[in-house]
Amino acid sequence: MLTNSNIVALDAEAVRTSLDVAAALEPADLSLPTPCAGWTVRDLLAHMTAQHHGFAAAFQGDGDLAHWEVRPLGDDPAASYRASAERVLSAFAAGGALDRLVPLPELGGSFPAARAIGFHFVDYVVHSWDLAKPLGIDVRFSPEVQQAALEVARAVPDGEARLRPGAAFRPALPSTGGSPFADVLTLLGRSPDWPE
């Protein structure tokens, strides 16, 4: 179950899983397609990097949309990603972080810190899988992470808004009746059997 007291640790598990996947990247992998429609591994990693920087800035009180811009990853994409991940993990773990109201310009407002981390958390549970799938890597999350991600995924509004350009998730798919993690994927518009 997701609580204010465990959200930072749950998010850190999701981010560290994504770091393990990114560490396995080879240069040739960067052009592979991902479950994120129209995005290659490079595109996805650049998006994930930008999101980390945006959330880290927001937790330092800076709501400038410029922090969320996707930028080139440079000669060592995995290192760029690692630096952004360490930045956001530090921002979330800082003293008093959970007591803040956090500006999230991409979502059009400010949110209590635990809720903001919840947005980040479910994104990185799913994006860890998005990144791992084209590489043939199996991601595994603790039962606590799976259940908490399922709780958040069930709260994400479905419907036509998910068909708009730039929507974070595609419309929900029918449940496969598998694990809680498989249900997270289908609720957020991913087929656990991608690319089939």
Side-chain angles (χ1 to χ4, degrees):
M1 185 163 110
L2 188 63
T3 66
N4 286 6
S5 61
N6 70 3
I7 185 59
V8 173
L10 293 170
D11 180 80
E13 181 180 332
V15 172
R16 289 204 170 90
T17 298
S18 74
L19 282 167
D20 290 344
V21 176
L25 278 171
E26 299 289 344
D29 297 331
L30 294 169
S31 61
L32 294 173
T34 70
C36 299
W39 280 3
T40 64
V41 167
R42 181 186 295 277
D43 298 329
L44 174 59
L45 200 63
H47 164 78
M48 293 166 69
T49 300
Q51 292 286 303
H52 284 328
H53 285 304
F55 271 95
F59 268 74
Q60 292 157 352
D62 189 342
D64 189 338
L65 198 53
H67 295 293
W68 301 80
E69 288 177 16
V70 175
R71 295 179 173 85
L73 291 170
D75 294 335
D76 190 343
S80 295
Y81 180 68
R82 186 170 53 252
S84 72
E86 293 301 336
R87 181 181 176 202
V88 82
L89 289 173
S90 293
F92 289 173
L98 287 174
D99 301 325
R100 300 178 184 152
L101 198 61
V102 180
L104 297 180
E106 283 201 330
L107 298 178
S110 294
F111 298 85
R115 187 166 179 211
I117 297 174
F119 298 151
H120 185 269
F121 163 67
V122 78
D123 231 17
Y124 283 83
V125 168
V126 174
H127 280 333
S128 293
W129 179 85
D130 290 332
L131 190 62
K133 198 70 173 163
L135 306 181
I137 296 172
D138 243 354
V139 290
R140 298 203 192 304
F141 292 106
S142 67
E144 293 78 15
V145 162
Q146 292 184 56
Q147 283 302 139
L150 184 56
E151 183 181 327
V152 176
R154 284 178 173 148
V156 175
D158 198 4
E160 290 192 20
R162 291 199 192 179
L163 294 171
R164 294 183 188 137
F169 304 112
R170 303 295 296 159
L173 300 174
S175 171
T176 60
S179 67
F181 182 58
D183 285 344
V184 170
L185 295 175
T186 56
L187 280 166
L188 300 178
R190 270 98 167 145
S191 168
D193 298 322
W194 183 91
E196 295 172 17

